[in-house]
Amino acid sequence: MWRTKDGYFVSSNFARDPKLIREETSGFDPSDMSSSMNARHARADEMVQRAKGTIDVEMAEDFLADHFDSFEKKAQADERSLCGHVDASSRGVKQWDWEAYNPGGAVQGKGHRQQDGGEHELRGAGRTSVRSGFCGG
C-alpha cells in the first residue's frame, strides 16, 4: 500500500510497484515513455505537481480533458494525452491489444447514433469521430 500525508498520487492505468510490474504486467515497460500509460503518467504528474495545493474540481476536470502529448511535446489528442484519445491514434495501444483508432481510453464514455445513410457517429470529450468499422457498419 502506498500512503502520503502531504503529497499526491496520480494514475493513468500503469502499475507503480516494481514487484507487481514484474509479476503481473507482461508487455509493460515502465521506462518506455512513448507508451500511453507512461506518457499520461508523466503529464499527470507534471500538472498536479505544478498545481499542488490549489486543485479543485474544475481544475481536475481540466486535467482529465488535457490534450497534450508529453512524449511528442505538443498539443495533440491521442493515446498519450490525459484525455486518452486512442480513437484518434494511428498507433493504438499495443499493451492492451488495442488497434489503431480503437474507441477507448478516458474518452470511451461516448454517445452513439446512426445517421441517415447508414453512417455512425461516436461523440466523446467534445469531439466527433466516425468509425463505422467499430459499430458494425
Side-chain angles (χ1 to χ4, degrees):
M1 176 176 287
W2 299 72
R3 297 174 189 225
T4 183
K5 292 189 183 214
D6 63 354
Y8 60 88
F9 295 107
V10 297
S11 181
S12 58
N13 303 95
F14 67 94
R16 178 178 183 151
D17 182 75
K19 184 176 187 264
L20 180 71
I21 292 169
R22 225 179 15 260
E23 295 176 1
E24 303 282 337
T25 60
S26 64
F28 174 63
D29 178 358
S31 64
D32 178 5
M33 296 312 293
S34 71
S35 75
S36 171
M37 54 290 303
N38 290 330
R40 290 183 298 114
H41 177 207
R43 179 64 173 165
D45 195 46
E46 172 191 331
M47 294 178 79
V48 171
Q49 191 172 47
R50 195 173 349 136
K52 185 179 172 186
T54 64
I55 300 170
D56 59 14
V57 173
E58 289 78 23
M59 187 180 291
E61 288 175 342
D62 289 344
F63 290 173
L64 292 175
D66 185 66
H67 285 152
F68 187 81
D69 180 325
S70 68
F71 183 74
E72 297 282 341
K73 307 284 188 225
K74 64 182 180 181
Q76 178 171 291
D78 60 23
E79 82 283 11
R80 295 184 295 228
S81 59
L82 279 180
C83 201
H85 279 284
V86 184
D87 61 335
S89 171
S90 62
R91 292 174 295 270
V93 179
K94 67 181 178 187
Q95 294 86 349
W96 299 330
D97 294 325
W98 285 4
E99 304 227 354
Y101 308 109
N102 184 295
V107 296
Q108 65 194 24
K110 295 189 182 353
H112 169 265
R113 76 173 180 182
Q114 184 172 0
Q115 301 172 352
D116 293 337
E119 290 201 358
H120 296 268
E121 178 183 54
L122 296 174
R123 291 194 53 88
R127 290 174 33 101
T128 300
S129 59
V130 176
R131 304 278 186 244
S132 293
F134 289 105
C135 301

